[in-house]
Amino acid sequence: MPTRILPAVGDADAVRALTTLLSQLPDAEPVTPVTDSTQLVDTLARLASESVDELPEIVIVHERIGPVPALELIREVALRFPAVGVILVTTDAGPGLFQAAMDYGARGLVALPLSYEELASRVQAVAQWSAGVRRHLGGTTDQFTGSGGTVVTVSGAKGGVGTTHTAVQLALAAQASGRGAALVDLDLQTGDVASFLDVQFRRSVVDLAALTDLSPRVLADAVFRHDTGLALLLAPGDGERGEEVTDRAARQIVSALRSRYEVVVIDCGAQIGGAGAAAVEMADVALLVTTPDVIAVRGAKRAVRMWDRLQIRKAEETTVVVNRHTRATEINPPLIQRITGTPVAATTIPANFKELQPTLDAGRAHELDARSTVKQAMQSLAAELGLLNPPQVPPPRSRSRAHRPPTPFRRRREP
């Protein structure tokens, strides 16, 4: 049976050189190359959703692939698609990089300029490894083998706009609908998810930050299982330890969670550091929560512009959620949309602190009455974002095409 090889190379000349050599290898079947990290992960996810057997045996990653660095990309592929062997092509074939590549999950390393003999030797060894893994797994793994869970980040235009409560309610709604959901607190210095859900915990996201291999068992040890069934990965109790969670660690953690849960909701807080920025960049849906007042909307506009400048997220790829909305306010969702230049969720969260106060004061946000207007609005928002199982989504009312609400932006993960 031929060995399917997927090259991930951004440079056109390098693609031609690599595919020419691969086509000369015995029993090798090069497939259409991908040009960046996003396209690679999307392609593998699409193939895995059909069957593990549809995945290529080997992926060859060029050192200058982007936008995700090559080693981080190798880690993500190794975590999400464990039956795929990865070979790194690099100009630096020294022992330091070789060790780093192995630590990140690569199965081999080939030096540039390419040599037929070296490439053939590496491909043959990795192909044998991949075949052995697939025989051992019997075509299945204990990983989430679909296209991967949906990652939703929730950030605040400023402090106090309801970011954490929104993240908590969205995760609870997804879990209650029958989807496996995880809630991550990446507000690393001032995270309050544990306080909202009355949780006493020992382990936090910091315990995963220094690890190079997040196996399912290690991940399960760090996750707290809430009474509602929700999986919680919490911020550290000592805020200064938040600095230990780097952007590299955040990428690894988000990738591992995405492979294990159908919905991953991440509370990024109002101040985003490297870890939060990595999460927002990786998210399928990035929410920015604001209240309908001048200061908060200015904060939302400032955040959107900063994300764009830092190439974290484009404005059109960010969805603003309006919290504490009242009909009397002069700053309405269409105005916010014009100011921020982003889509605005059709569902607004009403201002009704009287409903929230008893559960928030008790630290039991999960006990918010299902009949409350805030709870119902959060359910509608979760449905609008596609976080609920289809049977739980109420059928839409009949309305003319002109009155259909806009669909929040969801980053496409298909090539």
Side-chain angles (χ1 to χ4, degrees):
M1 182 176 177
T3 301
R4 293 161 297 179
I5 305 174
L6 174 59
V9 185
D11 181 73
D13 292 336
V15 169
R16 284 191 292 270
L18 180 58
T19 53
T20 298
L21 275 180
L22 290 176
S23 63
Q24 298 173 8
L25 299 181
D27 297 324
E29 182 184 327
V31 298
T32 304
V34 295
T35 58
D36 59 46
S37 58
T38 301
Q39 189 181 2
L40 173 61
V41 174
D42 289 348
T43 298
L44 294 177
R46 175 175 54 81
L47 295 172
S49 67
E50 299 172 6
S51 169
V52 175
D53 294 332
E54 296 297 318
L55 288 168
E57 284 75 20
I58 297 174
V59 167
I60 297 182
V61 175
H62 194 277
E63 64 178 354
R64 290 197 298 271
I65 194 72
V68 175
L71 290 178
E72 299 293 342
L73 178 61
I74 290 171
R75 185 197 300 279
E76 183 168 1
V77 171
L79 282 169
R80 293 182 59 183
F81 313 102
V84 176
V86 184
I87 297 174
L88 174 64
V89 176
T90 176
T91 54
D92 178 12
L97 181 60
F98 180 85
Q99 183 61 51
M102 297 303 105
D103 290 342
Y104 276 73
R107 302 303 308 177
L109 186 147
V110 176
L112 290 170
L114 293 172
S115 159
Y116 176 87
E117 291 76 14
E118 184 182 9
L119 183 62
S121 174
R122 283 294 91 209
V123 165
Q124 181 180 12
V126 177
Q128 292 175 352
W129 172 87
S130 178
V133 170
R134 295 182 190 213
R135 283 196 302 270
H136 176 72
L137 296 175
T140 61
T141 72
D142 66 343
Q143 302 285 332
F144 186 85
T145 56
S147 59
T150 299
V151 175
V152 180
T153 56
V154 185
S155 307
K158 68 179 191 65
V161 296
T163 306
T164 298
H165 188 251
T166 301
V168 168
Q169 292 300 334
L170 289 178
L172 288 171
Q175 180 68 32
S177 77
R179 306 193 74 182
L183 175 59
V184 185
D185 196 346
L186 276 187
D187 187 359
L188 296 171
Q189 291 187 339
T190 58
D192 278 327
V193 167
S195 298
F196 272 69
L197 295 173
D198 191 25
V199 169
Q200 301 294 324
F201 64 99
R202 292 185 300 107
R203 297 189 181 276
S204 72
V205 65
V206 171
D207 294 300
L208 302 178
L211 302 180
T212 58
D213 181 22
L214 285 186
S215 66
R217 176 172 295 181
V218 170
L219 186 63
D221 287 342
V223 168
F224 182 92
R225 183 67 63 176
H226 192 257
D227 294 341
T228 58
L230 193 62
L232 303 178
L233 187 56
L234 301 167
D238 300 325
E240 65 273 15
R241 296 201 63 195
E243 295 181 357
E244 299 175 31
V245 185
T246 63
D247 55 344
R248 178 201 61 79
R251 290 184 185 279
Q252 177 182 234
I253 292 166
V254 173
S255 296
L257 289 167
R258 173 181 264 157
S259 71
R260 301 293 297 175
Y261 298 95
E262 294 176 86
V263 176
V264 180
V265 180
I266 304 175
D267 177 8
C268 294
Q271 295 185 3
I272 294 186
V280 171
E281 183 182 4
M282 295 177 69
D284 301 294
V285 179
L287 301 181
L288 183 59
V289 181
T290 186
T291 48
D293 59 83
V294 172
I295 296 176
V297 174
R298 283 178 178 171
K301 181 179 180 180
R302 187 165 54 244
V304 169
R305 289 184 172 181
M306 180 182 69
W307 292 0
D308 189 44
R309 289 195 304 272
L310 297 178
Q311 298 183 349
I312 297 171
R313 197 90 179 183
K314 296 179 180 178
E316 60 268 24
E317 297 177 351
T318 303
T319 301
V320 169
V321 175
V322 182
N323 190 26
R324 301 176 196 151
H325 180 260
T326 64
R327 292 183 179 181
T329 182
E330 296 181 1
I331 303 179
N332 53 33
L335 177 58
I336 294 173
Q337 181 170 343
R338 289 197 299 272
I339 293 172
T340 60
T342 66
V344 174
T347 303
T348 58
I349 312 301
N352 198 333
F353 185 69
K354 186 177 180 180
E355 291 180 351
L356 299 177
Q357 188 169 8
T359 55
L360 294 183
D361 288 347
R364 302 186 67 82
H366 52 289
E367 295 181 354
L368 180 62
D369 193 334
R371 296 169 297 179
S372 74
T373 58
V374 174
K375 183 76 170 183
Q376 291 175 0
M378 291 291 187
Q379 289 279 346
S380 297
L381 178 60
E384 181 182 342
L385 300 174
L387 304 184
L388 308 185
N389 272 334
Q392 300 294 326
V393 180
R397 296 180 180 177
S398 176
R399 60 179 71 188
S400 66
R401 184 178 297 273
H403 289 86
R404 290 178 182 172
T407 302
F409 179 88
R410 179 182 293 269
R411 181 172 284 179
R412 295 187 63 187
R413 291 166 58 202
E414 294 184 0

